[in-house]
Amino acid sequence: MALLKILQYPDERLHKVAKKVQAVTDDTRKLIRDMAETMYAAPGVGLAATQVDVHERIIVVDISDMHDDLVVLINPELVASNGGREHEEGCLSVPGIYENVRRAEQITVRALNEQGETFTLEADGLLAICIQHEMDHLEGKVFVEYLSPLKQSRIRAKLKKHRRETL
Ligand code: NI
């Protein structure tokens, strides 16, 4: 297993649209293990392949305290969504920034598992928020892009300053 490097906003590569996984192979499973390890080490509750500069439609999410409830979604598709609520989000690609984003409250997604089998997952609460956040990454969208242009430029300036200070 290996820790992968997480792209940092506003890296242009975070805006690439990920391609569908054509076949779930041993390479796919290795990438998923590395992504999970990278997410747990960060620590974070979700990671999209886009964030480690692999532009394939794969996300991992684990909202459990014990890191023992990994959800892997390959080629996830939203098949239903209900309700809406605002909740504070953060992102491993946008360290130190937490902002409210409005998302559907309940979702149903269809995806492939690590064996390449189709399954359907119904999620609500934090899990639903995380899955929607990670699915956005596959479309090249970072959560701060839901905010006003003014807020976005403030965040970019703050991250730039932070990076200078930590170099
Ligand atoms: Ni994120």
Side-chain angles (χ1 to χ4, degrees):
M1 290 208 280
L3 289 184
L4 306 169
K5 193 174 175 318
I6 299 174
L7 297 178
Q8 299 295 297
Y9 180 81
D11 192 307
E12 276 306 309
R13 291 170 288 181
L14 286 168
H15 297 128
K16 285 192 189 178
V17 177
K19 292 197 169 68
K20 258 191 164 177
V21 174
Q22 295 302 328
V24 179
T25 63
D26 285 345
D27 286 345
T28 318
R29 286 182 279 271
K30 182 184 184 305
L31 170 66
I32 289 166
R33 282 195 303 275
D34 289 345
M35 283 173 61
E37 195 191 13
T38 303
M39 170 182 77
Y40 290 135
V45 292
L47 192 69
T50 305
Q51 291 176 275
V52 294
D53 202 22
V54 177
H55 301 281
E56 294 179 23
R57 305 185 81 82
I58 302 171
I59 65 177
V60 294
V61 174
D62 189 342
I63 59 162
S64 73
D65 291 333
M66 302 301 287
H67 292 177
D68 59 359
D69 196 11
L70 183 67
V71 177
V72 175
L73 301 173
I74 302 168
N75 298 342
E77 283 174 68
L78 194 65
V79 291
S81 66
N82 257 304
R85 61 179 283 215
E86 271 203 6
H87 194 273
E88 195 179 70
E89 295 185 18
C91 179
L92 294 175
S93 293
V94 197
I97 305 293
Y98 301 91
E99 295 283 349
N100 280 331
V101 175
R102 190 169 177 82
R103 304 272 188 194
E105 216 167 336
Q106 298 150 348
I107 57 167
T108 305
V109 284
R110 191 169 44 223
L112 301 179
N113 65 17
E114 287 167 278
Q115 279 67 50
E117 302 154 344
T118 303
F119 70 104
T120 302
L121 175 73
E122 283 177 34
D124 57 15
L126 183 59
L127 182 61
I129 291 167
C130 287
I131 290 172
Q132 291 173 84
H133 174 120
E134 302 311 330
M135 284 178 71
D136 272 355
H137 277 300
L138 302 180
E139 299 303 325
K141 184 159 185 170
V142 180
F143 83 106
V144 293
E145 287 156 0
Y146 286 104
L147 307 173
S148 70
L150 178 65
K151 256 192 168 164
Q152 289 183 50
S153 62
R154 280 191 186 145
I155 287 168
R156 279 195 296 270
K158 193 175 166 187
L159 290 171
K160 228 168 142 183
K161 183 168 178 282
H162 175 75
R163 231 159 271 156
R164 263 202 315 272
E165 283 166 358
T166 52
L167 278 178

